[in-house]
Amino acid sequence: MSHTAKDRPVDAVAFVDERLGAARGMRWLMDYVFPDHWSFLLGEIALYSFVMLVLTGTFLALFFDPDTTQTVYHGSYQALQGQSVSDAYASTLHISFDVSGGLLARQVHHWAALVFVAAITLHLLRIVFTGAFRKPRDINYFIGVTLLALAILEGFAGYSLPDDLLSGMGLAIAWAVAMSLPLIGGPFATALWGGRFPGSTAFESRLFIAHVFLLPAIIGGLIAVHLAIIMRQRHSQFPGPGRREDNVVGTPMWPGYALRSLGLFAAVAAVLALMGGLIQINPVWLWGPYHPYIGTNGAQPDWYLGWLIGALRLMPNLEIHAFGHTLVPNPFFGGVLFPGIVFGLLYALPWLDRRFISRDYRRHDLLERPRDNPRRSALGAAVLSAVAVVFAAGSADRLFFQFGFGYEGAVWFFRGAFLVVPVIAYAITKRVCAGLAREQAHPLRGWSGHIVVRNRSGGFDADAEAIELDTAERSR
């Protein structure tokens, strides 16, 4: 008995392909090859952290009230009963103490933001030190640098929303930096805040819209473009057996890589959930509500803002005056000029590398190890060490509180380190990379254990022959 077309069971794949012609595209996608190297997982960790941010952020947005109108607190936290707080701060306390799973969602969201920026930063460092920004991947590299800048801005916006004492002080610093912009600082800051600091109630709504809608949409769109360009150009890969400029050696999307990637997503989600449930972060009820007349010492922002705070602290008392007016206030140098130079160098890196460092204009699909280009690695290490010194300077007040180091002495120490450490980092990195390239040594791949065999008396002896054979095998 034959089936008519009406009676034939529906084939879902055929149904879609007959209407969209998707079979060829799906076959190409499932056969797409990913290179096997742990450093490529940094980008995936950033992606999955962003997914967790969207999920937890959506939940938090359902209960958060972006309004700085003052109210009297009558919630569950007894220590603040009867105090004047903003609706934004009160809703944050409500999420933390009264909404089921609210505190967990808040803390997972905060940890995910920290991991998101950290993963992007490490991913970008891998790209810089392996030459993955070279032609034809320079456009995608620019997208990655932009994503880092937007991630920092997005993190600061979210960090500022609860209207607690810590976030309020951060906004006060941001106000000073905005005001320091030459010529346009005053009108720009006043327009953005809706008046003089702390601004009008409209500022909190603008901050909320930027954090919840605008910046996530831009970041999500750039991530999609970033991934599309990667798949269009193919992944780069490290040199090795069978690896050429015109192929990729690794694991196909289906089933191997897809299942591995799902496992990584589960691991990232699980670690963030554990961190959110077990490690306290940003307990705003301890900081208290923000009021312009209240301040505190020893306040520290999230880690990704440490280098900006450090730059503001290290900058000497320099301002540019003309005709009785301050043209360039001091906060401009640490809060605008320094990060502008850092990101300017990042954006200019492909051009600088082609013109002055590698002098190579060719297309490259194979990556370089840091040792393969000692000059680039040394320059990268010098810039990175300079930023690291400035980042460490952001903790100068904590050094005073924790260890008794004088604040002014610490600032002068970091100023000197900012000039000396990059030179040392450049010299050491260049020498090490040149030595490794010359000797073709692999110091981290050698044998670090012992092979033992049981002796006649029941004890154990080291098997020297097995160790020598295994070491030779590993060094190939």
Side-chain angles (χ1 to χ4, degrees):
M1 180 178 178
S2 61
H3 291 280
T4 64
K6 184 177 181 180
D7 298 328
R8 192 180 305 132
V10 176
D11 185 334
V13 176
F15 178 87
V16 174
D17 183 51
E18 289 171 359
R19 289 156 178 80
L20 301 178
R24 180 178 298 180
M26 290 299 297
R27 172 55 59 189
W28 174 86
L29 182 63
M30 289 189 291
D31 290 341
Y32 182 87
V33 177
F34 292 82
D36 294 322
H37 195 272
W38 66 267
S39 63
F40 291 93
L41 300 181
L42 294 171
E44 292 191 42
I45 292 174
L47 173 63
Y48 297 145
S49 297
F50 180 70
V51 172
M52 293 297 293
L53 282 169
V54 172
L55 294 176
T56 54
T58 301
F59 175 82
L60 294 173
L62 299 176
F63 302 97
F64 182 75
D65 184 5
D67 190 355
T68 54
T69 302
Q70 294 295 301
T71 186
V72 177
Y73 181 72
H74 294 295
S76 301
Y77 188 60
Q78 295 299 316
L80 290 175
Q81 284 289 336
Q83 290 200 27
S84 177
V85 302
S86 67
D87 288 333
Y89 184 74
S91 67
T92 305
L93 295 182
H94 174 69
I95 293 172
S96 301
F97 294 112
D98 301 316
V99 176
S100 297
L103 181 59
L104 177 63
R106 270 195 64 235
Q107 299 201 148
V108 170
H109 190 74
H110 204 128
W111 280 117
L114 302 185
V115 173
F116 180 55
V117 182
I120 293 178
T121 303
L122 293 175
H123 183 57
L124 191 62
L125 288 175
R126 196 272 298 174
I127 290 172
V128 169
F129 282 98
T130 61
F133 55 83
R134 295 174 296 172
K135 180 182 178 181
R137 293 174 176 81
D138 41 4
I139 294 178
N140 221 11
Y141 166 77
F142 296 145
I143 294 176
V145 175
T146 304
L147 280 171
L148 176 60
L150 291 174
I152 294 174
L153 179 61
E154 168 75 337
F156 177 71
Y159 159 87
S160 304
L161 279 174
D163 197 36
D164 60 289
L165 181 58
L166 192 61
S167 65
M169 294 182 66
L171 285 173
I173 296 173
W175 163 267
V177 171
M179 286 286 291
S180 72
L181 293 172
L183 302 179
I184 65 170
F188 170 75
T190 303
L192 183 60
W193 264 264
R196 296 184 61 85
F197 186 82
S200 68
T201 56
F203 176 71
E204 182 79 3
S205 298
R206 295 169 184 171
L207 200 63
F208 180 77
I209 291 172
H211 178 69
V212 175
F213 297 107
L214 297 182
L215 290 174
I218 296 173
I219 291 174
L222 287 178
I223 289 176
V225 173
H226 185 73
L227 296 176
I229 292 177
I230 288 176
M231 301 194 74
R232 176 65 180 85
Q233 295 177 338
R234 299 195 321 270
H235 269 76
S236 56
Q237 60 183 344
F238 286 97
R243 297 171 184 171
R244 307 184 306 272
E245 293 281 2
D246 60 349
N247 75 341
V248 179
V249 176
T251 305
M253 167 73 82
W254 185 261
Y257 201 86
L259 299 177
R260 183 190 306 175
S261 190
L262 288 174
L264 179 62
F265 172 62
V268 170
V271 170
L272 290 175
L274 286 172
M275 294 173 70
L278 300 177
I279 307 175
Q280 186 182 70
I281 188 169
N282 199 26
V284 295
W285 52 91
L286 298 181
W287 316 145
Y290 177 71
H291 296 289
Y293 54 85
I294 299 178
T296 182
N297 288 322
Q300 291 292 310
D302 283 341
W303 75 267
Y304 50 82
L305 298 173
W307 63 300
L308 301 178
I309 296 297
L312 291 169
R313 289 175 174 171
L314 288 188
M315 187 62 202
N317 185 22
L318 172 65
E319 292 185 333
I320 299 177
H321 302 273
F323 307 107
H325 297 278
T326 302
L327 297 182
V328 184
N330 184 265
F332 171 81
F333 297 101
V336 179
L337 182 61
F338 177 71
I341 291 174
V342 172
F343 275 96
L345 287 174
L346 288 174
Y347 279 112
L349 179 59
W351 176 79
L352 292 173
D353 186 77
R354 287 193 298 265
R355 184 68 179 83
F356 300 105
I357 302 174
S358 299
R359 294 185 172 90
D360 186 355
Y361 290 80
R362 296 171 298 172
R363 175 191 175 109
H364 290 280
D365 292 298
L366 288 177
L367 301 173
E368 291 182 321
R369 298 169 300 177
R371 70 177 69 181
D372 296 329
N373 198 319
R375 190 180 181 194
R376 181 205 296 141
S377 299
L379 288 171
V383 174
L384 178 62
S385 64
V387 176
V389 169
V390 176
F391 178 85
S395 64
D397 57 341
R398 300 309 308 172
L399 294 176
F400 171 75
F401 279 110
Q402 296 295 126
F403 305 106
F405 295 159
Y407 182 80
E408 292 185 3
V411 169
W412 279 105
F413 169 80
F414 284 118
R415 286 173 179 171
F418 179 76
L419 300 176
V420 174
V421 170
V423 177
I424 298 174
Y426 178 89
I428 293 176
T429 304
K430 188 172 184 180
R431 182 172 181 177
V432 170
C433 288
L436 292 174
R438 182 174 57 254
E439 300 172 6
Q440 290 300 312
H442 300 279
L444 298 181
R445 297 185 188 178
W447 177 256
S448 59
H450 298 283
I451 297 177
V452 296
V453 294
R454 188 180 294 274
N455 55 33
R456 292 177 178 272
S457 61
F460 293 92
D461 296 322
D463 189 339
E465 182 179 350
I467 293 176
E468 183 178 351
L469 180 63
D470 191 84
T471 302
E473 185 71 23
R474 287 172 177 264
S475 62
R476 289 180 181 176

